[in-house]
Amino acid sequence: MSLKGKVALVTGSTSGIGQGIAEAFAAEGAAIMLNGFGDAAEIEKLRAGTAEKFGVKVGYSGADISKPDQVVALVAEIEKDFGSLDILVNNAGVQFTAPVEEFPDAQWDRIIAINLSAVFHGMKAVIPGMKKRGWGRIINIASAHGLVASGHKVAYVAAKHGVVGATKVAAIELANDGITVNAICPGWVLTPLVEKQLDDRAKAEGKDVATITQAFLTEKQPMAKFSTPEQIGALAVFLSSDAASTMTGTPISIDGGWVAG
Ligand code: NAD
């Protein structure tokens, strides 16, 4: 198990991509701190189930990562309870869609806080400990929307482009500290975040979800197929491995060819 002895925090890991990444790390022997919202009983089932299945320590924190002080406290809690924090995956993210002139200010502030500012605060909080230990992996979950735009997603696209930029800055600064910083840029992954968009569009266009799903995929991706949380997890494991120790500052696409054209 390649990550035995490492400790990973995956923000937003009670669902979707984050859950897939947390499980992939646990399968490689890393201790995990889960984070995110949801039904308390379901989260405890996930926490205990992951710990039992993979034989690793798994914690859970309901910290709201849109609040900088809660990010700082979460990192301190992990370093105290787990002894270190070696891998940070800034994954939690939210979406809201509307044209720019109708985009609610509150949604702009919320998306920038969760999708962009939390990435900054998370990196800032973990870097001192990683530097001290001389090893670290920071993986920021950006998006194809960190590289190209789509209409009606002004806050999300701005935040994800910002994540790619912040990733590059941190990578340059930490290049000789044993710490790599990369961004993963997924195309469509079928998670609650995307299911909501599919449902909203099916309702708006009066079509069934299956028809909308096909249109949704092929409008953006040459490959008419979702990537899976397991595939994103496998990429995160690779980025955390010694094989990837000289990969840094890179946005890595896993997107069915979305940004190739
Ligand atoms: P999801 O809705 O399934 O999961 C989001 C997670 O973030 C949940 O665990 C939720 O509880 C958590 N979260 C939300 N706000 C939070 C907060 N303030 N504090 C702590 N946790 C919070 O979404 P997903 O599709 O798995 O998305 C994960 C990441 O992947 C996001 O950054 C998203 O932008 C990115 N992404 C998703 C896709 C896709 O197609 N699904 C594509 C590209 C990028």
Side-chain angles (χ1 to χ4, degrees):
M1 292 201 288
S2 63
L3 298 178
K4 211 167 164 36
K6 302 292 188 208
V7 178
L9 164 63
V10 185
T11 68
S13 45
T14 54
S15 170
I17 293 172
Q19 190 180 327
I21 293 172
E23 282 178 11
F25 282 156
E28 291 298 324
I32 308 293
M33 181 60 114
L34 298 171
N35 159 255
F37 304 144
D39 177 75
E42 283 299 312
I43 293 172
E44 175 50 22
K45 210 164 104 192
L46 173 69
R47 190 205 62 75
T50 308
E52 198 191 317
K53 184 169 174 193
F54 301 108
V56 295
K57 179 170 171 173
V58 182
Y60 163 72
S61 160
D64 178 347
I65 56 122
S66 70
K67 308 273 188 317
D69 56 332
Q70 294 195 24
V71 175
V72 171
L74 172 58
V75 170
E77 180 191 337
I78 297 168
E79 291 185 328
K80 185 165 167 279
D81 291 355
F82 288 72
S84 70
L85 207 184
D86 308 296
I87 304 169
L88 168 65
V89 183
N90 283 309
N91 164 80
V94 291
Q95 178 63 284
F96 184 87
T97 59
V100 176
E101 78 269 25
E102 292 166 19
F103 209 91
D105 293 355
Q107 287 294 347
W108 168 271
D109 291 343
R110 170 175 169 261
I111 291 175
I112 295 300
I114 296 171
N115 294 18
L116 177 58
S117 299
V119 173
F120 160 69
H121 293 294
M123 294 200 297
K124 188 174 172 182
V126 300
I127 287 168
M130 288 181 176
K131 269 187 169 172
K132 220 181 290 160
R133 292 183 292 274
W135 196 94
R137 295 286 189 268
I138 299 173
I139 301 170
N140 296 323
I141 306 304
S143 168
H145 283 123
L147 302 169
V148 295
S150 297
H152 293 204
K153 294 188 175 177
V154 65
Y156 189 88
V157 170
K160 295 299 187 179
H161 275 66
V163 168
V164 171
T167 299
K168 292 177 181 176
V169 173
I172 290 168
E173 292 178 3
L174 301 170
N176 293 300
D177 290 304
I179 304 166
T180 68
V181 190
N182 290 288
I184 294 180
C185 298
W188 294 128
V189 183
L190 193 55
T191 67
L193 183 137
V194 166
E195 281 162 3
K196 181 177 181 314
Q197 293 175 61
L198 292 170
D199 287 344
D200 288 350
R201 191 159 149 191
K203 265 182 222 132
E205 295 184 20
K207 294 186 180 142
D208 62 284
V209 172
T211 309
I212 289 298
T213 301
Q214 201 54 23
F216 209 75
L217 280 170
T218 51
E219 269 165 19
K220 298 290 178 186
Q221 293 189 182
M223 193 181 289
K225 213 178 183 176
F226 289 104
S227 297
T228 65
E230 291 74 19
Q231 289 173 319
I232 314 288
L235 179 51
V237 166
F238 174 71
L239 287 173
S240 303
S241 73
D242 287 341
S245 66
T246 59
M247 284 178 75
T248 198
T250 308
I252 300 148
S253 293
I254 172 163
D255 67 357
W258 184 324
V259 304

